Amino acid sequence: MNRYEELADRFGTPLFVYDLDEITAARRELTDALPEEFELFYALKANPHPEVVRALREGAGKGCRAEISSTGELAAALAAGFTGADCLYTGPGKTDEELREAIGQGVRMFSTDSVTDVRRVGAVAREHGVVVDCLLRVNSAAASATTSIRMTGTPSQFGFDSETLGEVLPELRAVDGIELAGMHFFPLSNARDEESLIGEFNHTIGLAAQLQDDLGLPLRYLDIGGGFTVPYAVPGARGHYPKLRSELSATLDLLLPDWRTGTPRLACESGRFLVGAGGTLLARVSNVKVSRGRKFVILDAGINTFGGMSGLGRLLPVAVQPVDGEPVESASLVGPLCTPGDILGRQIELPALAAGDLVTIPNAGAYGPTASLLMFLGRPAPTEVVVRGDEVVSVSRIEHHRSYETELVR
């Protein structure tokens, strides 16, 4: 019996296993790949499990800061030992209530996406008698990489359009309670290769330097985003970036020559790269059936457990971790839900499976339970086990309950 079989027998399935040693290794790889002057933010949206977040904050080497976009993520960051001052609060739809909570908890840096967003941040900051830093998220009019998931260069709820930023800058400068501290970019996600990632970062740095010069924009802080890759739910290794440090350094030396002395302070951010390879999903086969010549392998884990973001067309299909030399066949891997949309993989290669067999889905540490349809059909959330080596650090499950009006108005 291997390690995963032991954990599945002990805690049941569906079961997520998060390996803190693997997560710490990913953090070390990425910090080593970047110039040492860079700060690294962990995007909690990828996996807000407190033990995972804590492992990225502490431990040997350089820890991460926290990138959050809700008060729920703020609570998870605080529970993992971050302070509000460690957090960058992002998102295009911040409400007054969220901002009051965040600023009250000590958050002092916000990425902003519009004039009204900046005004709202400033108004709440004045209520608290503080001044907070605002980074202007910039939606570049052009892009470098032609592959990967594009996050810029198109109409978007995210960021100020770079070509019209100068027109609104006087309004932004007039807002009290905030200081324009710099810029935030996030041009792509899950870059296909190092060349496209470096090209996009270089384009971003060039645009930031141009906006600083042309518009007189302050640039104390520059977050150039992420895009670091790891396979999602299929076998494979994290991206490798041997040229990144030297290429970024050369570009910064040319365009922002004071960067080595902290002008501006520099940051990157990552979610999936840091945690993706550190997670494995274990599920059991509930049934196998054939319909009109096609085989369906039905698991106890579906889109309520994993892949609820599949409607975006970004994350699936999955692949089962094979055993060397094991024969394979073509079948659809589906979940237990009463909907034809509960498909994890359509006509993919699978080992010959039978009811009761354990299925292992690798690289499942990012966008798991909290990115899934957890409450659909009322099935319990999967169990999440955190391990470090052979030690089980924690065992938990997300629980939902309905709050009635008497509870809400207390």
Side-chain angles (χ1 to χ4, degrees):
M1 182 178 291
N2 65 30
R3 175 196 192 196
Y4 289 138
E5 289 169 336
E6 291 175 356
L7 290 171
D9 285 349
R10 183 176 174 187
F11 301 111
T13 57
L15 180 69
F16 280 90
V17 181
Y18 305 131
D19 187 334
L20 296 184
D21 288 340
E22 185 69 24
I23 290 167
T24 301
R27 185 197 68 193
R28 185 166 51 247
E29 287 176 21
L30 191 49
T31 53
D32 288 348
L34 292 165
E36 62 182 357
E37 290 83 358
F38 271 71
E39 295 180 323
L40 179 62
F41 283 91
Y42 171 56
L44 267 73
K45 64 177 67 68
N47 188 334
H49 192 292
E51 297 291 348
V52 170
V53 180
R54 185 176 294 111
L56 290 166
R57 178 184 65 83
E58 60 187 24
K62 187 177 180 181
C64 296
R65 297 180 67 184
E67 186 265 302
I68 58 174
S69 56
S70 70
T71 54
E73 289 186 342
L74 172 60
L78 296 175
F82 285 105
T83 67
D86 296 322
C87 299
L88 168 64
Y89 202 113
T90 69
K94 308 174 195 71
T95 67
D96 290 343
E97 291 75 16
E98 291 172 359
L99 290 168
R100 290 186 183 104
E101 176 71 15
I103 292 174
Q105 292 285 358
V107 178
R108 293 294 183 268
M109 184 182 290
F110 294 84
S111 173
T112 53
D113 297 85
S114 63
V115 173
T116 51
D117 194 21
V118 174
R119 287 174 176 163
R120 182 172 284 119
V121 173
V124 177
R126 293 195 300 274
E127 287 180 14
H128 287 75
V130 299
V131 175
V132 303
D133 284 337
C134 278
L135 304 182
L136 304 182
R137 179 163 174 173
V138 177
N139 179 10
S140 172
S144 172
T146 56
T147 59
S148 315
I149 300 170
R150 300 297 323 152
M151 300 287 286
T152 195
T154 60
S156 174
Q157 70 268 45
F158 299 111
F160 293 84
D161 295 339
S162 59
E163 66 273 23
T164 60
L165 184 54
E167 299 172 13
V168 299
L169 194 54
E171 296 178 73
L172 300 176
R173 293 187 189 277
V175 176
D176 292 328
I178 65 100
E179 183 172 341
L180 298 180
M183 287 174 259
H184 176 205
F185 294 79
F186 201 94
L188 81 169
S189 179
N190 208 23
R192 301 301 184 195
D193 51 51
E194 185 181 30
E195 182 180 355
S196 63
L197 182 68
I198 291 172
E200 199 65 65
F201 281 160
N202 286 343
H203 174 79
T204 291
I205 294 166
L207 179 57
Q210 179 186 340
L211 291 172
Q212 179 189 35
D213 292 342
D214 292 350
L215 304 180
L217 266 175
L219 195 56
R220 287 193 292 108
Y221 204 93
L222 174 60
D223 182 341
I224 65 173
F228 309 101
T229 188
V230 67
Y232 184 83
V234 296
R238 287 185 292 270
H240 184 50
Y241 304 104
K243 301 177 183 177
L244 182 60
R245 176 181 284 222
S246 61
E247 294 281 350
L248 281 180
S249 297
T251 300
L252 288 163
D253 283 339
L254 178 65
L255 299 176
L256 297 171
D258 294 327
W259 72 280
R260 295 182 187 270
T261 57
T263 306
R265 290 170 59 192
L266 294 158
C268 279
E269 56 196 80
S270 177
R272 76 179 74 220
F273 180 92
L274 293 170
V275 297
T280 303
L281 172 60
L282 309 181
R284 287 208 183 274
V285 178
S286 300
N287 193 15
V288 178
K289 64 163 289 187
V290 176
S291 174
R292 297 192 171 119
R294 289 192 176 183
K295 182 171 285 190
F296 292 83
V297 176
I298 304 168
L299 302 180
D300 59 4
I303 56 175
N304 61 315
T305 299
F306 189 59
M309 292 177 71
S310 60
L312 302 179
R314 289 170 51 168
L315 299 178
L316 298 182
V318 306
V320 172
Q321 181 71 56
V323 176
D324 289 343
E326 191 174 40
V328 297
E329 61 183 8
S330 178
S332 290
L333 195 65
V334 303
L337 303 184
C338 191
T339 170
D342 191 15
I343 300 174
L344 297 179
R346 196 185 305 273
Q347 294 301 113
I348 61 176
E349 287 193 345
L350 296 170
L353 295 167
D357 285 349
L358 184 69
V359 165
T360 302
I361 298 173
N363 289 321
Y367 301 107
T370 55
S372 301
L373 302 179
L374 274 181
M375 296 186 69
F376 188 50
L377 291 182
R379 288 181 174 266
T383 302
E384 297 173 273
V385 173
V386 179
V387 300
R388 182 182 284 109
D390 294 329
E391 174 194 3
V392 174
V393 175
S394 73
V395 182
S396 63
R397 177 185 286 129
I398 297 170
E399 299 287 355
H400 296 279
H401 76 280
R402 185 179 299 277
S403 295
Y404 286 88
E405 185 176 355
T406 54
E407 297 176 65
L408 294 173
V409 298
R410 285 176 187 168

